[in-house]
């Protein structure tokens, strides 16, 4: 059964600032989570332009996440079941990612993101139909919250206490109760997940696990966007593109891989 869930993440940043913050966060988290056997391999990173999304940057990546597979999944699937292929079109403030798994060929996960200068109150930024709105679930994520569950443990945590945090470059922070209604500048990432794993017996469980995993990743990645503000503040998108090129090469060297999608058994 297809599931749709929209996560809304309010940020104490402007739209222009978040573009750089997101680029920096992705680059740094990829470096932190890539080792000789697991992590991110960048196959393509190039400009694109189309009628649906617009003009921006296209990436094709392979995520090797074997150690993060839930124990119930490893009982019947090989260790490479969590090798994921992601195609992403970043036409900020609009982005789209499509994630597939070579092992589970009928599985597909799509993330459509719209960034808007508001406080998370827009009810249908994705232009969903009545039928889609009927099945869509909405959840607000608070980057100042302290979450300690299974998926946040697997994703990792920066352990930043935003109730005590203050940026030295901008003076922003700390984030106290009700900060979303008071901060300026402000913007929201509206992240809509559509997921379908049509497998009898375990498809629904796989969908729920991946939704929980994406939630933990969204929370941690957006926490890092603000927590690392003094590292990226003052950089420009062009400067970040140069850093991305260097980082992509470094990632592939870490994994010691040729840029080819490995053949794998499928079900």
């Amino acid at each position: 059964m297809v599931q749709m869930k929209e996560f809304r993440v309010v940020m104490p940043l402007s739209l222009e600032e978040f573009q750089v913050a997101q680029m920096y966060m992705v680059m740094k988290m990829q470096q932190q989570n890539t080792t000789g056997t697991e992590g991110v391999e960048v196959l393509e990173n190039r400009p694109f332009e189309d009628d649906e999304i617009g003009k921006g940057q296209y990436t094709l990546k392979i995520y090797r996440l074997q150690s993060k597979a839930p124990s119930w999944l490893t009982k019947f699937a090989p260790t490479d079941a969590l090798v994921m292929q992601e195609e992403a079109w970043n036409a900020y403030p609009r982005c789209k990612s499509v994630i597939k798994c070579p092992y589970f060929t009928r599985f597909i996960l799509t993330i459509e993101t719209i960034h808007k200068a508001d406080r998370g109150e827009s009810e249908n930024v994705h232009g969903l139909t009545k039928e889609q709105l009927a099945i869509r679930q909405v959840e607000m994520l608070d980057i100042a919250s302290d979450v300690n569950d299974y998926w946040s443990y697997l994703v990792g945590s920066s352990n930043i206490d935003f109730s005590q945090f203050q940026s030295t470059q901008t003076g922003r922070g700390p984030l106290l109760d009700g900060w979303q209604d008071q901060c300026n500048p402000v913007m929201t990432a509206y992240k809509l997940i559509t997921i379908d794993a049509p497998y009898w017996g375990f498809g629904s469980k796989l969908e729920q696990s991946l939704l929980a995993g994406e939630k933990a990743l969204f929370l941690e990645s957006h926490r890092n966007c603000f927590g690392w503000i003094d590292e990226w503040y003052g950089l420009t998108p062009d400067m970040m593109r140069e850093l991305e090129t260097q980082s992509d090469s470094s990632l592939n060297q870490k994994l010691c891989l040729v840029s080819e999608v490995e053949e794998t058994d499928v079900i």
Side-chain angles (χ1 to χ4, degrees), residues 57-125:
Q57 200 75 9
Y58 167 84
T59 57
L60 173 61
K61 300 176 182 179
I62 300 296
Y63 291 85
R64 290 173 169 81
L65 309 170
Q66 296 93 316
S67 68
K68 301 187 187 312
S71 57
W72 62 266
L73 182 61
T74 60
K75 291 179 180 179
F76 64 89
T79 56
D80 62 356
L82 272 191
V83 173
M84 302 287 192
Q85 176 179 299
E86 179 200 59
E87 287 188 282
W89 297 262
N90 187 344
Y92 191 84
R94 184 174 182 178
C95 309
K96 180 179 179 179
S97 297
V98 176
I99 300 172
K100 298 181 180 180
C101 178
Y103 187 80
F104 298 109
T105 56
R106 288 179 286 163
F107 161 83
I108 186 169
L109 186 153
T110 301
I111 305 172
E112 297 171 276
T113 305
I114 292 178
H115 303 91
K116 192 172 180 181
D118 67 11
R119 301 181 188 274
E121 67 270 19
S122 297
E123 286 307 313
N124 191 15
V125 296

Side-chain angles (χ1 to χ4, degrees), residues 206-262:
L206 180 60
E207 291 169 356
Q208 291 302 319
S209 292
L210 289 171
L211 280 172
E214 290 293 342
K215 173 184 175 180
L217 181 59
F218 292 162
L219 188 56
E220 181 62 16
S221 60
H222 286 76
R223 282 173 57 85
N224 287 336
C225 281
F226 185 55
W228 294 336
I229 187 171
D230 290 334
E231 299 178 31
W232 58 257
Y233 191 78
L235 298 176
T236 66
D238 287 341
M239 294 167 69
M240 283 305 309
R241 290 291 176 216
E242 293 182 13
L243 292 173
E244 279 181 345
T245 300
Q246 300 172 23
S247 179
D248 291 351
S249 176
S250 173
L251 288 173
N252 292 347
Q253 289 176 6
K254 277 186 179 182
L255 282 169
C256 301
L257 296 169
V258 295
S259 295
E260 295 178 356
V261 180
E262 294 180 342

Side-chain angles (χ1 to χ4, degrees), residues 159-184:
N159 296 317
I160 300 173
D161 182 357
F162 285 116
S163 69
Q164 303 294 324
F165 174 86
Q166 187 170 42
S167 164
T168 57
Q169 292 217 53
T170 67
R172 294 178 208 170
L175 302 182
L176 305 177
D177 288 345
W179 68 267
Q180 298 100 323
D181 298 323
Q182 303 166 12
C183 65
N184 183 38

